[in-house]
Amino acid sequence: MSGSEASLHRDANFLVDVPRQILALTKKNFILAYRNRTATFLRVFSSFFFILLIFLVNEALKGRFAADPYYKDYPNPPRTVLDGIPDCTRQASNDNQCYIFGYTPAPDLSGGGYHPDKDYASVSDFVSGTSAVCQAADCEEMYRVHQVVRKIMQQNTINQQAHVIAASSVVGFRNQSTLDDFLFNNPTKIKGAYVFASPNTQAVNFVLQVNSTSYTTRGTWGRPYLELALPMQAMAHKAIGSFLNVADNIEIGRQLFAHPAFAVSTFEGTVAPLFLLGCAMFPFVIQMSEVVME
């Protein structure tokens, strides 16, 4: 047999033998897999259990944010009348008391806080009743702020029902630096504070200081801006309007901006396609490796 004929013979044998061996090995592996059906089932379908686990975790994360208005469709959001300042709750076990709100300026002589427990008919009564030490202009400003704070306490509402704030739940400080020191040393005792300024009898301004840290309670996200800052702002505007005799009954509401439902983006949802590809390749690669080894 010549060299060319031997080469053709070898090529012919190769084209016949390789498919025959692959078919024989595949048949043998199929028989073995059939005889050990449990192991075969776990090998083929184990990856799908991980896919199911990722799917369930992703759905759980979506359900966690389901109550968030950001992920809901609001073509025409309803208008909500702002309620009053909510009660405070102790956020740390070592806090003996918490305050609904703080404010400044106030006739605080000790530095530990002043509680506005009564109304005064005039500046002189206020100065003598609180033993305030101040200049005439400062005493007048402090007295106007005291009147506004008392109106906030008396006009406060919860669920649109009157809910007067007790004097023990309000604390005033001499100036803003004293208030800042108290907030720094007692971060969980005051939910929010007013920094008032009244340069004359026709103007009362204020700045809010609010603990803006978000929190979650039983899967529901709390928003200090909506739950505290807006009510404090609304009650201050109502009290100032009543103090200046420009408005006796002010109704302030809020309304969400109309928007479609935004998709919840999760890490599991991002990596799931790649993990799905890996799970699909894993059994196939193992099976092909066994065929190659044999």
Side-chain angles (χ1 to χ4, degrees), residues 5 63 87 96 128 134 189 195 213 240:
E5 292 179 351
D87 289 332
N96 296 324
S128 61
C134 52
K189 282 193 173 183
V195 179
T213 303
I240 293 173

Side-chain angles (χ1 to χ4, degrees), residues 17 19 30-31 109 112 138 143 152 154 159 184 195 207 284 288:
D17 292 342
F30 177 78
I31 294 174
L109 302 179
D138 295 336
Y143 174 60
I152 293 176
Q154 296 166 0
N159 296 325
F184 181 80
V195 179
V207 175
F284 178 78
M288 291 298 102

Side-chain angles (χ1 to χ4, degrees), residues 55-94:
F55 174 77
L56 294 178
V57 171
N58 190 54
E59 291 299 314
L61 291 175
K62 289 183 178 180
R64 180 182 180 184
F65 297 101
D68 195 320
Y70 184 80
Y71 302 107
K72 290 184 178 181
D73 186 19
Y74 278 101
N76 186 21
R79 177 179 176 273
T80 303
V81 177
L82 285 177
D83 212 346
I85 306 173
D87 289 332
C88 67
T89 55
R90 291 192 304 119
Q91 299 181 15
S93 58
N94 58 349

Side-chain angles (χ1 to χ4, degrees), residues 6 15 23 25 65 79 89 105 110 123 127 159 173 178 192 197 200-201 232 248 266-267 286:
L15 295 176
L23 180 61
L25 290 174
F65 297 101
R79 177 179 176 273
T89 55
S110 63
V123 179
V127 173
N159 296 325
F173 298 93
T178 308
N200 55 63
T201 58
M232 288 184 66
D248 293 331
T266 62
F267 175 77
I286 292 179

